[in-house]
Amino acid sequence: IGLTRVTIPTNKTQETQYMVRLFFAEPENLKVGQRVFDVILQGREVLANFDITAEEPARGIGVVREFPAIKATTQITLELKPSIGRPVICGIEVIGL
């Protein structure tokens, strides 16, 4: 809770494509509209006004968002830009393609 930026080193010297999976779940008993944020990968907004509670199929069921063609050389940068409340993320998976 509250993370706004993370940099993941790739240890590459040439541009490579990655599959990036982001895992979200609402850990607090918030209602729709109480935690809203934008998700930015490599400087590009990939989720706007993301509200985990609104996206969960049922209370306590996590949400996974997959981005299959993220290009990076030395690092992947993820930013969570808060609009309402503090952003939250539960996991990040990065797979080289």
Side-chain angles (χ1 to χ4, degrees), residues 20-33:
V20 178
R21 288 189 185 112
L22 304 177
F23 299 83
F24 302 94
E26 178 52 61
E28 300 173 327
N29 194 24
L30 297 183
K31 294 182 168 106
V32 171

Side-chain angles (χ1 to χ4, degrees), residues 31-52:
K31 294 182 168 106
V32 171
Q34 291 185 304
R35 186 188 312 272
V36 179
F37 54 96
D38 297 333
V39 178
I40 301 156
L41 265 173
Q42 293 302 86
R44 189 186 72 169
E45 184 177 82
V46 293
L47 295 173
N49 298 313
F50 186 66
D51 183 337
I52 298 166

Side-chain angles (χ1 to χ4, degrees), residues 5 34-35 75 89:
R5 183 179 175 95
Q34 291 185 304
R35 186 188 312 272
Q75 64 189 21
I89 189 163

